[in-house]
mmCIF file of all heavy atoms in Angstrom:
data_model
loop_
_atom_site.group_PDB
_atom_site.id
_atom_site.type_symbol
_atom_site.label_atom_id
_atom_site.label_comp_id
_atom_site.label_asym_id
_atom_site.label_seq_id
_atom_site.Cartn_x
_atom_site.Cartn_y
_atom_site.Cartn_z
ATOM 1 N N MET A 104 99.624 128.040 166.438
ATOM 2 C CA MET A 104 98.949 127.735 165.166
ATOM 3 C C MET A 104 98.920 126.163 164.867
ATOM 4 O O MET A 104 100.019 125.523 164.700
ATOM 5 C CB MET A 104 99.622 128.405 163.982
ATOM 6 C CG MET A 104 98.920 128.188 162.618
ATOM 7 S SD MET A 104 99.699 129.249 161.273
ATOM 8 C CE MET A 104 98.588 128.708 159.972
ATOM 9 N N PRO A 105 97.748 125.663 164.772
ATOM 10 C CA PRO A 105 97.730 124.139 164.538
ATOM 11 C C PRO A 105 98.387 123.695 163.338
ATOM 12 O O PRO A 105 98.116 124.513 162.248
ATOM 13 C CB PRO A 105 96.254 123.864 164.662
ATOM 14 C CG PRO A 105 95.651 125.073 164.352
ATOM 15 C CD PRO A 105 96.427 126.250 164.740
ATOM 16 N N ALA A 106 99.001 122.510 163.157
ATOM 17 C CA ALA A 106 99.492 122.082 161.859
ATOM 18 C C ALA A 106 98.410 121.613 161.032
ATOM 19 O O ALA A 106 97.408 121.185 161.387
ATOM 20 C CB ALA A 106 100.454 120.924 162.137
ATOM 21 N N PRO A 107 98.666 121.925 159.625
ATOM 22 C CA PRO A 107 97.500 121.482 158.652
ATOM 23 C C PRO A 107 97.335 120.033 158.618
ATOM 24 O O PRO A 107 98.269 119.282 158.829
ATOM 25 C CB PRO A 107 98.064 121.962 157.362
ATOM 26 C CG PRO A 107 99.449 122.158 157.552
ATOM 27 C CD PRO A 107 99.735 122.441 158.965
ATOM 28 N N LYS A 108 96.130 119.496 158.523
ATOM 29 C CA LYS A 108 95.870 118.139 158.478
ATOM 30 C C LYS A 108 96.221 117.583 157.118
ATOM 31 O O LYS A 108 95.974 118.171 156.115
ATOM 32 C CB LYS A 108 94.416 117.896 158.730
ATOM 33 C CG LYS A 108 93.999 118.273 160.269
ATOM 34 C CD LYS A 108 92.450 118.003 160.388
ATOM 35 C CE LYS A 108 91.974 118.446 161.739
ATOM 36 N NZ LYS A 108 90.519 118.130 162.044
ATOM 37 N N PRO A 109 96.775 116.387 157.150
ATOM 38 C CA PRO A 109 97.034 115.763 155.828
ATOM 39 C C PRO A 109 95.797 115.546 154.991
ATOM 40 O O PRO A 109 94.923 115.041 155.664
ATOM 41 C CB PRO A 109 97.952 114.558 156.202
ATOM 42 C CG PRO A 109 97.477 114.324 157.582
ATOM 43 C CD PRO A 109 97.162 115.561 158.143
ATOM 44 N N SER A 110 95.940 115.736 153.765
ATOM 45 C CA SER A 110 94.684 115.477 152.897
ATOM 46 C C SER A 110 94.599 114.041 152.650
ATOM 47 O O SER A 110 95.443 113.136 152.554
ATOM 48 C CB SER A 110 94.955 116.117 151.501
ATOM 49 O OG SER A 110 96.015 115.499 150.858
ATOM 50 N N THR A 111 93.335 113.516 152.804
ATOM 51 C CA THR A 111 92.886 112.072 152.702
ATOM 52 C C THR A 111 92.371 111.784 151.350
ATOM 53 O O THR A 111 91.605 112.699 150.748
ATOM 54 C CB THR A 111 91.936 111.666 153.702
ATOM 55 O OG1 THR A 111 90.724 112.482 153.526
ATOM 56 C CG2 THR A 111 92.544 111.857 155.220
ATOM 57 N N LEU A 112 92.868 110.845 150.621
ATOM 58 C CA LEU A 112 92.409 110.471 149.405
ATOM 59 C C LEU A 112 91.145 109.592 149.486
ATOM 60 O O LEU A 112 91.109 108.646 150.244
ATOM 61 C CB LEU A 112 93.454 109.770 148.584
ATOM 62 C CG LEU A 112 94.786 110.471 148.335
ATOM 63 C CD1 LEU A 112 95.797 109.570 147.632
ATOM 64 C CD2 LEU A 112 94.422 111.808 147.519
ATOM 65 N N GLY A 113 90.162 109.860 148.652
ATOM 66 C CA GLY A 113 88.869 109.127 148.651
ATOM 67 C C GLY A 113 89.116 107.885 147.895
ATOM 68 O O GLY A 113 90.149 107.656 147.150
ATOM 69 N N PRO A 114 88.160 107.007 148.005
ATOM 70 C CA PRO A 114 88.205 105.807 147.101
ATOM 71 C C PRO A 114 87.975 106.013 145.599
ATOM 72 O O PRO A 114 87.402 106.923 145.214
ATOM 73 C CB PRO A 114 86.981 104.984 147.688
ATOM 74 C CG PRO A 114 85.994 105.942 148.299
ATOM 75 C CD PRO A 114 86.925 107.117 148.716
ATOM 76 N N LEU A 115 88.762 105.227 144.901
ATOM 77 C CA LEU A 115 88.809 105.421 143.485
ATOM 78 C C LEU A 115 87.477 104.771 142.877
ATOM 79 O O LEU A 115 87.109 103.739 143.237
ATOM 80 C CB LEU A 115 89.931 104.707 142.729
ATOM 81 C CG LEU A 115 91.266 105.199 143.098
ATOM 82 C CD1 LEU A 115 92.442 104.493 142.403
ATOM 83 C CD2 LEU A 115 91.354 106.733 142.670
ATOM 84 N N LEU A 116 86.717 105.646 142.238
ATOM 85 C CA LEU A 116 85.437 105.216 141.619
ATOM 86 C C LEU A 116 85.609 104.656 140.198
ATOM 87 O O LEU A 116 86.368 105.340 139.443
ATOM 88 C CB LEU A 116 84.415 106.402 141.496
ATOM 89 C CG LEU A 116 84.038 106.967 142.963
ATOM 90 C CD1 LEU A 116 83.151 108.120 142.669
ATOM 91 C CD2 LEU A 116 83.487 105.889 143.867
ATOM 92 N N PRO A 117 85.114 103.550 139.900
ATOM 93 C CA PRO A 117 85.313 103.008 138.494
ATOM 94 C C PRO A 117 84.699 103.737 137.606
ATOM 95 O O PRO A 117 83.345 103.892 137.572
ATOM 96 C CB PRO A 117 84.860 101.555 138.659
ATOM 97 C CG PRO A 117 83.853 101.579 139.764
ATOM 98 C CD PRO A 117 84.448 102.679 140.766
ATOM 99 N N ASP A 118 85.319 104.388 136.640
ATOM 100 C CA ASP A 118 84.869 105.123 135.571
ATOM 101 C C ASP A 118 85.604 104.927 134.278
ATOM 102 O O ASP A 118 86.737 105.386 134.344
ATOM 103 C CB ASP A 118 84.640 106.751 135.823
ATOM 104 C CG ASP A 118 83.860 107.465 134.855
ATOM 105 O OD1 ASP A 118 83.563 106.796 133.891
ATOM 106 O OD2 ASP A 118 83.579 108.545 135.146
ATOM 107 N N ARG A 119 85.088 104.204 133.405
ATOM 108 C CA ARG A 119 85.882 103.900 132.287
ATOM 109 C C ARG A 119 86.096 104.996 131.288
ATOM 110 O O ARG A 119 86.955 104.892 130.297
ATOM 111 C CB ARG A 119 85.333 102.553 131.511
ATOM 112 C CG ARG A 119 83.941 102.756 131.067
ATOM 113 C CD ARG A 119 83.302 101.471 130.624
ATOM 114 N NE ARG A 119 84.104 100.815 129.685
ATOM 115 C CZ ARG A 119 83.732 99.716 129.030
ATOM 116 N NH1 ARG A 119 82.514 99.288 129.217
ATOM 117 N NH2 ARG A 119 84.624 99.044 128.275
ATOM 118 N N PHE A 120 85.176 106.018 131.363
ATOM 119 C CA PHE A 120 85.348 107.093 130.540
ATOM 120 C C PHE A 120 86.289 108.151 131.015
ATOM 121 O O PHE A 120 86.627 109.049 130.311
ATOM 122 C CB PHE A 120 84.050 107.747 130.321
ATOM 123 C CG PHE A 120 83.010 106.771 129.677
ATOM 124 C CD1 PHE A 120 81.749 106.662 130.187
ATOM 125 C CD2 PHE A 120 83.333 106.235 128.470
ATOM 126 C CE1 PHE A 120 80.885 105.793 129.615
ATOM 127 C CE2 PHE A 120 82.458 105.260 127.924
ATOM 128 C CZ PHE A 120 81.232 105.024 128.409
ATOM 129 N N ARG A 121 86.673 108.179 132.315
ATOM 130 C CA ARG A 121 87.561 109.230 132.807
ATOM 131 C C ARG A 121 88.624 108.585 133.530
ATOM 132 O O ARG A 121 88.668 108.215 134.690
ATOM 133 C CB ARG A 121 86.680 110.083 133.758
ATOM 134 C CG ARG A 121 85.523 110.917 133.187
ATOM 135 C CD ARG A 121 84.993 111.851 134.162
ATOM 136 N NE ARG A 121 83.864 112.576 133.562
ATOM 137 C CZ ARG A 121 83.181 113.492 134.183
ATOM 138 N NH1 ARG A 121 83.424 113.619 135.521
ATOM 139 N NH2 ARG A 121 82.255 114.055 133.543
ATOM 140 N N PRO A 122 89.752 108.226 132.784
ATOM 141 C CA PRO A 122 90.944 107.715 133.355
ATOM 142 C C PRO A 122 91.717 108.681 134.195
ATOM 143 O O PRO A 122 91.369 109.886 134.169
ATOM 144 C CB PRO A 122 91.862 107.253 132.168
ATOM 145 C CG PRO A 122 91.386 108.232 131.153
ATOM 146 C CD PRO A 122 89.865 108.477 131.312
ATOM 147 N N PRO A 123 92.667 108.352 134.882
ATOM 148 C CA PRO A 123 93.514 109.331 135.708
ATOM 149 C C PRO A 123 94.005 110.379 134.828
ATOM 150 O O PRO A 123 94.721 110.064 133.857
ATOM 151 C CB PRO A 123 94.460 108.353 136.386
ATOM 152 C CG PRO A 123 93.935 107.128 136.541
ATOM 153 C CD PRO A 123 93.096 107.002 135.315
ATOM 154 N N ARG A 124 93.767 111.685 135.213
ATOM 155 C CA ARG A 124 94.281 112.709 134.309
ATOM 156 C C ARG A 124 95.658 113.105 134.714
ATOM 157 O O ARG A 124 95.953 113.030 135.838
ATOM 158 C CB ARG A 124 93.351 113.982 134.502
ATOM 159 C CG ARG A 124 91.921 113.673 134.311
ATOM 160 C CD ARG A 124 91.677 113.322 132.915
ATOM 161 N NE ARG A 124 90.140 113.020 132.602
ATOM 162 C CZ ARG A 124 89.750 112.535 131.528
ATOM 163 N NH1 ARG A 124 90.567 112.162 130.505
ATOM 164 N NH2 ARG A 124 88.433 112.322 131.456
ATOM 165 N N GLY A 125 96.426 113.538 133.748
ATOM 166 C CA GLY A 125 97.738 114.069 133.974
ATOM 167 C C GLY A 125 97.680 115.622 134.426
ATOM 168 O O GLY A 125 96.705 116.286 134.206
ATOM 169 N N GLN A 126 98.753 115.932 135.116
ATOM 170 C CA GLN A 126 98.812 117.393 135.551
ATOM 171 C C GLN A 126 99.253 118.300 134.631
ATOM 172 O O GLN A 126 99.380 119.498 134.841
ATOM 173 C CB GLN A 126 99.549 117.421 136.894
ATOM 174 C CG GLN A 126 99.104 116.569 138.008
ATOM 175 C CD GLN A 126 97.649 117.043 138.318
ATOM 176 O OE1 GLN A 126 97.385 118.244 138.381
ATOM 177 N NE2 GLN A 126 96.877 116.107 138.803
ATOM 178 N N LYS A 127 99.806 117.880 133.523
ATOM 179 C CA LYS A 127 100.357 118.744 132.424
ATOM 180 C C LYS A 127 99.288 119.302 131.564
ATOM 181 O O LYS A 127 98.488 118.663 130.992
ATOM 182 C CB LYS A 127 101.235 117.915 131.498
ATOM 183 C CG LYS A 127 101.918 118.847 130.448
ATOM 184 C CD LYS A 127 102.876 118.074 129.614
ATOM 185 C CE LYS A 127 102.173 116.996 128.773
ATOM 186 N NZ LYS A 127 103.066 116.339 127.849
ATOM 187 N N ARG A 128 99.091 120.652 131.615
ATOM 188 C CA ARG A 128 98.106 121.382 130.853
ATOM 189 C C ARG A 128 98.616 121.953 129.502
ATOM 190 O O ARG A 128 99.566 122.553 129.633
ATOM 191 C CB ARG A 128 97.469 122.416 131.665
ATOM 192 C CG ARG A 128 96.816 121.998 132.973
ATOM 193 C CD ARG A 128 96.217 123.155 133.757
ATOM 194 N NE ARG A 128 95.553 122.686 134.975
ATOM 195 C CZ ARG A 128 94.800 123.402 135.845
ATOM 196 N NH1 ARG A 128 94.742 124.768 135.532
ATOM 197 N NH2 ARG A 128 94.260 122.936 136.941
ATOM 198 N N VAL A 129 97.996 121.529 128.407
ATOM 199 C CA VAL A 129 98.441 121.891 127.161
ATOM 200 C C VAL A 129 97.358 122.832 126.693
ATOM 201 O O VAL A 129 96.254 122.432 126.277
ATOM 202 C CB VAL A 129 98.731 120.748 126.174
ATOM 203 C CG1 VAL A 129 99.189 121.283 124.919
ATOM 204 C CG2 VAL A 129 99.697 119.769 126.804
#
Side-chain angles (χ1 to χ4, degrees):
M104 183 176 180
K108 296 182 180 180
S110 60
T111 58
L112 298 176
L115 296 178
L116 299 178
D118 190 350
R119 58 191 311 187
F120 299 126
R121 296 185 179 180
R124 307 295 181 188
Q126 299 298 325
K127 182 179 66 174
R128 298 183 179 181
V129 181

